[in-house]
Amino acid sequence: MSAMRLTGYADKFGVHPGDKIKFYVNCDGPTDFTAEVVHMIHGDTNPRGPGFIEKAVDAEVNGTYKGKKQIIHGGSYGFVEDKPQLNVESFTLQCYIWPTTPKTHPRYWKHGAQGLVTKWSGDKGYGLFINEEGFLELRINGEKVTTGVPIRDHAWHFVAASYDAATGEATLYHEPQIVYALDPVIEPVVAKISAKPLPTPAPLAIAAYVDKIDDSALGKSSLPEGVWFTGKYNGKIDSPRLSKKALSRLEIEQMKLGAQPGLTERRNSGPTGALSEVIVGAWDFWDGIDTIVGKDNGPYRFDAQLVNCPTRALTGYNWAGQNFDWKHAKKEYGAIHFHDDDVDDARWTSDCEWTVPAGCRSTSYALKLTTSEGDEDYIPFWVVPKIGEEQSKIAVMIPTISYMAYANEHVACNAGGAELFVYRVPIMQHQNMFLAEHREYGGSIYDTHTDGSGICLSSRLRPILSIRPKYDHFLAQAPWQYPADLHLIYWLEQMGYQYDVITDEDVTYDGVARLEGYNVVITGSHPEHNSGTQLDALHNYTQRGGRIMYMGADGWYWVHSYHPAYESKGRGVVTEMRRCESGIRTWRADPGEYYHQGTGELGGMWRFRGRQLYSVAGVGMTNEGFDISTYFSRTPDSLDPRVAFAFEGITYDEPLGNFGLVGGGAAGLELDIVDTMLGSPPHTLAVATSAGRHTEAYLLVMEDFGFNQQGLDGTTHPRVRGDIAFHETPCGGGAFSFSSIAFCGSLPWNNGDNNISKLVGNVLNHFMQDGPLPPPPADAIKHRGRADYESPALAQTSS
């Protein structure tokens, strides 16, 4: 067992001076903990670098607090608060299901039966379940009726149960929607139940059932605090219905069509007058796909509140395979996929809060948590100036969307063949082992759920243990994302630059107004995941004379959006991404499920939306490898007078970055190149390259080739390289791109006294100046096509 007794999170990533930030802490064991705000400067403990650096901050929140254990109740479900109309005597339950784990090995089975549609708790009430053996089961009070036939996983089934209180007769229906030649015939099961359902104060639950109810929870209409849901179901549910009569099979069939606007009068909510009188609830999940409400189109409007953000915009039982955008065929997208490890909010109680003083410096902070028994955790956050109150000419744009995409990733522990991927045995961190044992902390968008389906939603309202200083990612065996971005923060501090931090969340919501107060915007080392409004803002910023320093690689790769239903909790709470037909994927979305549930936009790669990094930064992602990093060499383009400012004090022949804290060099992990066919401006200068220096572990990305063949690795393929590039933008703007995730890891080497540091300093000093950049002579601008950048001998062809 891996014990992490101290974990926590904040209610926001970025906080303005004068605003409040809240912190939520799980202290599982120790009686108290100490909280202290620290300025995070360097989070890497590598002895070849400057070491771990933090500075204490005098803050009112600093102090010792009483510890308490806080639990994340993972797993998605829907609930309707207790209503008299739901405590029926006779009834019919029906729905379509597409289960993914109808039977799980007993060693891993946590909850016993899985609830489908239930109003049942403590052997009282009624409900439709999948039992421990994977059979459909009806429960009324303590009595059970089951089909005794296994339910096939990843297939649609129509299931229903009726009960007549007058006769005590119960009937259970299990009807697979696809029947194969040798499948057994599943007859309806008829049985006698000795007593009608006993009323229970339990909410009606969809994809779960109620384990217990605290007395203090009775009568509350919000998320039932003190109501404990269990039996979380894995799989899709479509069109659940509840009627207050034992319907015949024909009436059940007719009820499938009921409660859909346009088929009947809205006041009836049923296919016939008689059936409209008995319907209690008709939940149409195609209605309100972009919400976290399961819409009830029945007469009582008992909308179900959805907890932990299950996946929507998924194909239903009636999907015809003709429309692939749910917005054009909503009634074929009436399925919700529930998972037993979904989480949208840890829902912990706040332990402490800090009102950030007016004028507080904008930079990278963390709440450091410790106990007297040696426990430690850090909760990162950033102080971001309000628009119009910028403190510097320089903005560092923290890639928090990418942090959320990688949040609590399990790839090191759960991915088959991880050793082949990284060309070594992955070294587990303490966080990796803890997360493997605590699925309730949620996974990353690189992971799959416990049922094998891909995770496409990620929340920041939970402890994100991969966003921590001192954390080495298994891919790099070195800092990755947050701690790697602290390499840049250290360098700015060491060199004495005054800078602000902003987040890509801020840019998404505020647009170009968030950027235009700065002369230069510097990215993090790996801004892979981005929203469309962020790309709009960055493009508009550079077209208006702004300057960008792109400090990493694999940027602007995946389409992300923030789920609008969570904006009542704050900005940027839940982000969504669908992995579609191409790109570097640890899972892929099923056909018809490429469009986001929150915004309705097409997911996948920005490249296949006609937008990509090339058009903004001049370069784009082409390859990755995770064994060792190498260095860059200058090309003849670097002698162009347009870019002379960048190489002052750097000789032509010296290797650029043959050192570093990430893989041993500046060119590594993931790399970008210049390509005018994909959007690099034709006047882009490729001033340095790593061509010809990578190993067989570096492979061309799959979107760059049509079929597998030999020669796609770093020893042979001309596109397996990184290009450092520069181009001017209108109105005196510009973009300088360093095109390697490992690049920032070279900045702290020798305390910043190295040629990578010199190169970046030259560019930053040039870009941060007031006014437009001086225009180059017209006869100095060279326009090229793709072929000029394709040879591994780039230095000889780029003249």
Side-chain angles (χ1 to χ4, degrees):
M1 296 294 288
S2 178
M4 291 188 66
R5 304 189 303 171
L6 197 60
T7 57
Y9 64 98
D11 68 339
K12 57 190 70 173
F13 279 148
V15 56
H16 295 145
D19 290 350
K20 182 184 298 182
I21 183 169
K22 295 182 178 180
F23 301 97
Y24 306 79
V25 178
N26 168 40
C27 192
D28 184 8
T31 57
D32 53 41
F33 66 91
T34 298
E36 179 186 16
V37 176
V38 293
H39 174 198
M40 286 305 312
I41 298 175
H42 196 255
D44 187 356
T45 59
N46 189 326
R48 295 183 176 183
F52 184 78
I53 304 173
E54 63 182 28
K55 290 185 179 180
V57 175
D58 185 15
E60 291 182 353
V61 71
N62 293 351
T64 299
Y65 297 86
K66 183 178 180 181
K68 61 179 179 290
K69 182 177 181 178
Q70 305 212 60
I71 298 172
I72 301 176
H73 297 281
S76 57
Y77 57 93
F79 76 90
V80 179
E81 61 182 282
D82 180 37
K83 297 290 185 181
Q85 295 88 347
L86 299 174
N87 286 307
V88 293
E89 294 185 351
S90 297
F91 65 86
T92 300
L93 286 171
Q94 62 186 82
C95 60
Y96 288 91
I97 62 171
W98 192 83
T100 50
T101 58
K103 185 178 181 181
T104 305
H105 192 283
R107 178 180 175 185
Y108 303 105
W109 190 264
K110 297 179 179 179
H111 308 300
Q114 300 175 67
L116 297 174
V117 183
T118 67
K119 196 174 189 304
W120 189 89
S121 179
D123 286 342
K124 292 182 179 180
Y126 60 93
L128 199 55
F129 299 77
I130 297 176
N131 70 15
E132 294 86 343
E133 298 179 275
F135 306 156
L136 184 67
E137 184 172 279
L138 168 66
R139 294 184 185 180
I140 299 177
N141 302 333
E143 299 185 59
K144 303 175 183 179
V145 179
T146 180
T147 60
V149 178
I151 299 177
R152 180 180 290 117
D153 64 280
H154 297 83
W156 280 109
H157 308 258
F158 178 72
V159 296
S162 65
Y163 171 71
D164 189 331
T167 64
E169 184 173 282
T171 307
L172 190 58
Y173 303 91
H174 170 198
E175 300 172 1
Q177 297 303 283
I178 296 178
V179 178
Y180 297 96
L182 301 182
D183 285 354
V185 176
I186 307 175
E187 298 288 351
V189 177
V190 180
K192 288 287 185 179
I193 299 293
S194 60
K196 58 188 179 183
L198 296 172
T200 172
L204 181 139
I206 299 171
Y209 64 91
V210 173
D211 183 29
K212 63 178 180 177
I213 305 174
D214 297 343
D215 291 341
S216 61
L218 299 179
K220 293 187 177 180
S221 59
S222 60
L223 174 67
E225 186 177 336
V227 179
W228 305 90
F229 291 86
T230 189
K232 310 293 174 54
Y233 164 74
N234 280 316
K236 298 181 185 179
I237 297 181
D238 196 339
S239 304
R241 303 280 187 261
L242 169 63
S243 302
K244 59 181 180 181
K245 174 187 174 183
L247 301 180
S248 67
R249 183 61 188 85
L250 175 60
E251 291 171 323
I252 290 173
E253 190 68 24
Q254 292 175 314
M255 193 61 77
K256 292 180 184 179
L257 304 177
Q260 297 189 24
L263 296 179
T264 64
E265 294 293 331
R266 296 283 298 189
R267 62 182 178 85
N268 288 333
S269 300
T272 67
L275 290 181
S276 70
E277 295 174 359
V278 302
I279 193 167
V280 176
W283 292 275
D284 290 321
F285 295 154
W286 56 263
D287 194 354
I289 285 174
D290 59 348
T291 73
I292 48 173
V293 173
K295 187 71 176 294
D296 175 20
N297 284 319
Y300 299 110
R301 299 295 189 260
F302 288 153
D303 292 346
Q305 180 66 43
L306 301 177
V307 179
N308 282 327
C309 201
T311 309
R312 307 186 73 169
L314 302 182
T315 55
Y317 74 94
N318 58 343
W319 185 58
Q322 301 297 317
N323 286 289
F324 293 82
D325 181 349
W326 61 264
K327 300 186 297 298
H328 300 305
K330 290 185 179 180
K331 292 182 181 179
E332 296 180 19
Y333 284 83
I336 294 180
H337 195 144
F338 298 91
H339 306 92
D340 65 4
D341 60 348
D342 281 327
V343 58
D344 63 1
D345 187 343
R347 296 184 172 85
W348 289 353
T349 58
S350 175
D351 291 85
C352 54
E353 58 188 41
W354 183 38
T355 299
V356 179
C360 181
R361 181 189 172 193
S362 173
T363 187
S364 176
Y365 294 91
L367 188 72
K368 181 180 181 179
L369 307 174
T370 57
T371 71
S372 59
E373 301 171 37
D375 305 280
E376 179 184 86
D377 193 24
Y378 288 80
I379 304 175
F381 66 96
W382 296 267
V383 172
V384 176
K386 295 178 181 177
I387 294 174
E389 299 179 5
E390 291 82 6
Q391 303 173 4
S392 171
K393 299 177 182 181
I394 302 168
V396 178
M397 184 173 62
I398 304 297
T400 56
I401 302 176
S402 295
Y403 293 176
M404 290 175 68
Y406 281 92
N408 292 348
E409 59 86 11
H410 293 70
V411 178
C413 295
N414 295 158
E419 294 88 347
L420 298 176
F421 192 46
V422 299
Y423 265 55
R424 66 172 75 88
V425 175
I427 298 175
M428 298 296 107
Q429 302 290 297
H430 204 44
Q431 290 94 330
N432 300 133
M433 305 308 296
F434 179 83
L435 291 169
E437 297 162 4
H438 292 272
R439 295 291 306 207
E440 71 274 13
Y441 276 61
S444 75
I445 290 176
Y446 288 78
D447 296 318
T448 55
H449 290 284
T450 56
D451 69 353
S453 59
I455 296 178
C456 61
L457 296 153
S458 178
S459 169
R460 61 169 174 76
L461 294 180
R462 54 175 171 143
I464 302 178
L465 305 182
S466 54
I467 307 178
R468 295 294 188 262
K470 307 180 185 179
Y471 178 73
D472 286 346
H473 193 275
F474 91 99
L475 283 176
Q477 307 291 232
W480 174 270
Q481 295 216 303
Y482 170 73
D485 291 339
L486 289 177
H487 288 147
L488 173 62
I489 297 297
Y490 163 81
W491 180 82
L492 289 166
E493 296 282 336
Q494 179 74 4
M495 297 296 111
Y497 287 102
Q498 183 178 347
Y499 62 92
D500 292 353
V501 293
I502 60 176
T503 70
D504 48 9
E505 174 188 304
D506 300 311
V507 179
T508 296
Y509 283 93
D510 298 331
V512 74
R514 179 69 274 178
L515 302 175
E516 62 186 0
Y518 298 104
N519 290 355
V520 57
V521 173
I522 306 175
T523 76
S525 61
H526 190 192
E528 177 181 3
H529 301 262
N530 309 91
S531 69
T533 49
Q534 180 196 3
L535 297 188
D536 291 340
L538 289 167
H539 180 77
N540 291 335
Y541 172 72
T542 58
Q543 297 304 297
R544 296 180 179 191
R547 277 84 82 170
I548 287 181
M549 293 176 64
Y550 172 49
M551 301 301 300
D554 188 23
W556 286 247
Y557 195 83
W558 291 112
V559 176
H560 268 256
S561 62
Y562 289 118
H563 200 309
Y566 285 87
E567 292 187 354
S568 62
K569 293 177 178 283
R571 304 201 312 187
V573 171
V574 171
T575 187
E576 178 176 8
M577 190 200 84
R578 303 284 173 112
R579 295 188 183 273
C580 301
E581 291 176 341
S582 192
I584 304 166
R585 298 159 296 166
T586 50
W587 58 269
R588 61 176 59 88
D590 285 341
E593 299 180 354
Y594 294 171
Y595 286 79
H596 290 196
Q597 68 191 63
T599 61
E601 65 184 295
L602 177 64
M605 294 178 61
W606 281 114
R607 178 170 176 171
F608 294 101
R609 293 263 302 264
R611 305 185 64 177
Q612 47 209 328
L613 180 61
Y614 293 92
S615 62
V616 177
V619 295
M621 163 76 162
T622 60
N623 63 100
E624 65 176 6
F626 302 100
D627 58 348
I628 58 173
S629 302
T630 185
Y631 60 92
F632 294 95
S633 294
R634 290 177 61 176
T635 70
D637 273 8
S638 69
L639 302 175
D640 192 299
R642 292 162 49 199
V643 76
F645 65 88
F647 292 98
E648 293 179 5
I650 301 173
T651 64
Y652 185 82
D653 293 326
E654 65 183 282
L656 298 175
N658 55 343
F659 49 82
L661 303 178
V662 180
L669 299 187
E670 294 177 340
L671 299 163
D672 294 358
I673 70 169
V674 174
D675 189 336
T676 56
M677 294 294 289
L678 291 175
S680 299
H683 62 286
T684 302
L685 296 174
V687 299
T689 186
S690 65
R693 296 196 184 91
H694 296 286
T695 69
E696 62 184 15
Y698 281 76
L699 299 172
L700 189 67
V701 293
M702 61 188 66
E703 60 270 19
D704 272 7
F705 62 88
F707 56 91
N708 269 320
Q709 62 185 36
Q710 292 180 338
L712 298 177
D713 65 61
T715 65
T716 54
H717 202 283
R719 291 176 69 83
V720 180
R721 67 178 197 267
D723 295 338
I724 297 178
F726 165 71
H727 72 274
E728 300 89 350
T729 63
C731 304
F736 210 104
S737 301
F738 298 98
S739 303
S740 163
I741 287 181
F743 188 86
C744 285
S746 296
L747 287 170
W749 191 266
N750 195 29
N751 296 317
D753 184 10
N754 61 74
N755 59 17
I756 292 297
S757 173
K758 183 67 174 177
L759 173 62
V760 174
N762 289 341
V763 175
L764 181 54
N765 292 336
H766 189 70
F767 274 20
M768 67 183 286
Q769 64 184 289
D770 292 330
L773 299 179
D779 59 357
I781 300 177
K782 301 174 182 178
H783 294 270
R784 299 186 178 86
R786 178 172 178 172
D788 296 305
Y789 299 108
E790 283 301 274
S791 171
L794 186 67
Q796 282 70 49
T797 62
S798 222
S799 59

